[in-house]
Amino acid sequence: MRLVILGGGESGIGTALLGKKKGYDVFLSDFGKIKENYKEVLILNEIAWEEEKHTEALILNAAVVMKSPGIPDTVPIVTKLNALLIPVISEIEFAAPFTQAVTIGITGSNGKTTTTMLTYHLLKTAGLNVGLAGNIGKSFAWQVADEEFDVYVLELSSFQLDGILNYKPHIAIITNISPDHLDRYDYKYENYIASKFRITMNQTQSDYLIYDADDEAIQNWLKNNKTKAQLIPFSLQNKPKIGGFINNNIMESYINEEEFTMETKTIALEGKHNMKNAMAATSVAQLMRIRKQTIRESLSSFQGVEHRLERVLKIQNVMYINDSKATNVNATFFALDSMSSPTVWIVGGVDKGNDYSELMAMVREKVKAIICLGVDNKKIIDAFGNVVDMMVEVSSMNDAVRTAQHLAEKGDAVLLSPACASFDLFENYEDRGRQFKHAVRGL
């Protein structure tokens, strides 16, 4: 069986190793450059590869193709594979049949990393033999090839879900849905929503779908479509009979006829959106029959996720907050919502079809100055130019942070929450966040 892999990143290398181990004839092709450390792995394992090109003769004879989630379906080589009816799948789809482990799949426009990390923390603290993969850390396929976990917690992007045919998580979570990556979905929001719900398409009556019952897009989909999975909602607005809700500063969750309660002030994560993330992770822990005391200890000890509302330093009584992971408007909405002091907001980058009007009320209420950090800031300036007193354009993180220091007064906050992708000035959101922290520490 010939396995061709498009993309020599983390998921591609992991799939190549697993494919080789399972007896496939493996070939990896990357249209860009492959990182040196990944090349070494390929050479060491005697896996054939090429970079900076796609040789059709070596690709179009595949029995199955694993495509990296970063490659759009519209690139010529993928179009040709589709025309030849050669299955083009994601790493998750390829790796899942080779493990007996229970998988917990987590998707959503925002909150999925925090929910994934928190769920992993809960299960690991409880002593389960658990792996963490998907969009985070070492790829799922690589772990299936090298390690033997009983449970995997997988953070799944819409791009990874686009490439599944038969995969199903035993427990699925949809944290929320808001417009994101619409450039990959013909600018049709309904296509993106459908993509997220692929997480439940193969689930059966013995599986579970945990979801945000306050989310309009999720509610509408569930009204008009069917899933066989058992539904477990969580809500800040209502009190579902099964699932999670907040009642007078107490988080309550009812699952398997078991009640779990915890005072919200003892939960380490702050902010309304994080209460939802905590309820989602708690639902998983209850389904996995983890002791209540362990759940409480885990929720109060969780440290949060780097680049997500990460408090960096307080300088001259101004708090600097790194929310570089906010790559869409909805994530930035949560960030601004959680601010309790006048805010100097650093925003901008590669716009994925953003509608900034959703932020208008938040900006009026919370933001005193805006620093635009992007190659093209026109949309942001048009949206907020008349709303704030001060608007500055900069082209480097150092300039952004120094400008913010000038504009901020005692008691203010400086928030990096870009609402955009980072590729115009940075390698990725991690690079952007690290540069912010470095600049802050250099003040």
Side-chain angles (χ1 to χ4, degrees):
M1 282 274 279
R2 185 163 173 83
L3 165 67
V4 170
I5 293 156
L6 299 180
E10 181 65 30
S11 64
I13 304 299
T15 304
L17 290 172
L18 180 59
K20 174 93 197 251
K21 187 175 178 182
K22 298 296 176 187
Y24 284 82
D25 165 25
V26 181
F27 177 66
L28 185 144
S29 173
D30 195 313
F31 204 66
K33 269 193 163 349
I34 300 173
K35 286 183 182 167
E36 286 306 317
N37 57 326
Y38 287 151
K39 277 186 204 172
E40 283 166 26
V41 173
L42 292 168
I43 292 162
L44 193 68
N45 288 278
E46 298 176 344
I47 292 164
W49 57 275
E50 66 177 2
E51 63 179 350
E52 300 188 74
K53 59 176 182 284
H54 287 320
T55 306
E56 289 189 7
L58 297 171
I59 294 172
L60 299 178
N61 60 354
V64 61
V65 173
M66 194 297 289
K67 174 175 79 67
S68 152
I71 301 170
D73 292 330
T74 48
V75 301
I77 194 72
V78 178
T79 318
K80 285 177 181 169
L81 286 163
N82 288 335
L84 293 168
L85 303 179
I86 296 167
V88 179
I89 61 173
S90 69
E91 170 221 352
I92 306 298
E93 177 73 17
F94 180 77
F98 297 114
T99 176
Q100 296 300 303
V102 169
T103 66
I104 296 153
I106 300 169
T107 196
S109 305
N110 297 297
K112 62 178 176 290
T113 303
T114 301
T115 303
T116 302
M117 299 290 281
L118 181 54
T119 303
Y120 174 71
H121 176 67
L122 280 166
L123 302 186
K124 198 161 175 61
T125 306
L128 295 183
N129 175 27
V130 56
L132 174 70
N135 260 4
I136 302 178
K138 193 171 170 185
S139 71
F140 180 47
W142 203 323
Q143 292 186 46
V144 170
D146 280 0
E147 302 172 61
E148 207 37 73
F149 290 112
D150 301 325
V151 182
Y152 283 96
V153 182
L154 304 177
E155 180 188 315
L156 301 175
S157 68
S158 54
F159 302 158
Q160 284 164 318
L161 293 170
D162 288 336
I164 66 168
L165 303 170
N166 302 304
Y167 167 70
K168 73 174 180 77
H170 174 49
I171 302 173
I173 299 177
I174 304 181
T175 56
N176 54 49
I177 302 180
S178 62
D180 195 5
H181 302 296
L182 296 190
D183 47 341
R184 282 273 292 258
Y185 293 99
D186 301 330
Y187 293 94
K188 290 184 179 143
Y189 188 26
E190 63 272 23
N191 294 2
Y192 173 65
I193 295 168
S195 178
K196 288 292 187 198
F197 270 96
R198 289 175 71 82
I199 199 167
T200 189
M201 70 181 185
N202 298 314
Q203 287 189 300
T204 66
Q205 287 93 335
S206 59
D207 301 316
Y208 300 91
L209 174 62
I210 299 166
Y211 65 96
D212 181 351
D214 304 335
D215 187 290
E216 199 181 325
I218 294 177
Q219 285 176 338
N220 288 341
W221 191 95
L222 288 170
K223 264 192 211 120
N224 298 313
N225 300 273
K226 286 277 175 280
T227 170
K228 290 180 180 156
Q230 298 180 53
L231 296 177
I232 299 183
F234 55 85
S235 173
L236 294 178
Q237 295 168 7
N238 301 303
K239 294 177 184 168
K241 286 192 174 62
I242 295 172
F245 57 88
I246 308 289
N247 187 12
N248 297 330
N249 297 323
I250 306 257
M251 181 175 96
E252 300 188 23
S253 185
Y254 292 87
I255 288 173
N256 293 335
E257 297 178 3
E258 285 270 321
E259 177 193 23
F260 172 83
T261 59
M262 181 169 178
E263 288 187 42
T264 52
K265 67 169 187 276
T266 59
I267 296 172
L269 291 169
E270 294 172 18
K272 284 186 268 194
H273 59 293
N274 274 326
M275 288 305 114
K276 292 189 168 186
N277 298 338
M279 288 191 282
T282 298
S283 299
V284 175
Q286 285 180 279
L287 289 170
M288 303 292 282
R289 309 280 182 185
I290 286 164
R291 288 176 55 240
K292 292 175 188 176
Q293 193 47 39
T294 308
I295 300 176
R296 284 192 195 97
E297 282 164 15
S298 300
L299 290 175
S300 57
S301 67
F302 182 65
Q303 288 304 307
V305 174
E306 193 183 8
H307 311 300
R308 170 61 83 218
L309 287 174
E310 178 190 8
R311 288 162 181 259
V312 181
L313 273 180
K314 199 173 226 182
I315 302 171
Q316 293 163 327
N317 209 19
V318 173
M319 178 57 83
Y320 290 79
I321 299 168
N322 167 25
D323 195 43
S324 180
K325 202 166 189 314
T327 57
N328 58 44
V329 165
N330 195 246
T332 293
F333 180 92
F334 287 138
L336 291 171
D337 188 34
S338 72
M339 302 307 289
S340 52
S341 43
T343 301
V344 176
W345 175 32
I346 303 171
V347 56
V350 181
D351 184 306
K352 295 176 283 188
N354 285 351
D355 176 5
Y356 292 107
S357 63
E358 295 165 40
L359 299 175
M360 201 57 77
M362 281 292 163
V363 172
R364 280 185 207 281
E365 184 190 342
K366 315 256 186 172
V367 176
K368 62 184 286 184
I370 290 177
I371 298 169
C372 299
L373 175 61
V375 170
D376 179 6
N377 303 308
K378 186 177 183 309
K379 259 178 89 172
I380 296 165
I381 294 165
D382 288 351
F384 303 116
N386 302 326
V387 181
V388 293
D389 297 335
M390 192 59 155
M391 200 153 201
V392 185
E393 284 193 85
V394 295
S395 56
S396 78
M397 187 59 82
N398 273 334
D399 288 352
V401 169
R402 275 202 218 92
T403 307
Q405 187 187 26
H406 289 306
L407 296 175
E409 300 163 289
K410 282 186 176 161
D412 289 353
V414 172
L415 171 69
L416 168 71
S417 189
C420 297
S422 54
F423 308 119
D424 55 347
L425 296 172
F426 307 95
E427 271 186 39
N428 48 35
Y429 76 80
E430 290 102 334
D431 174 42
R432 176 169 63 188
R434 281 193 286 269
Q435 284 198 33
F436 175 73
K437 291 196 282 188
H438 183 74
V440 170
R441 289 176 187 133
L443 286 175

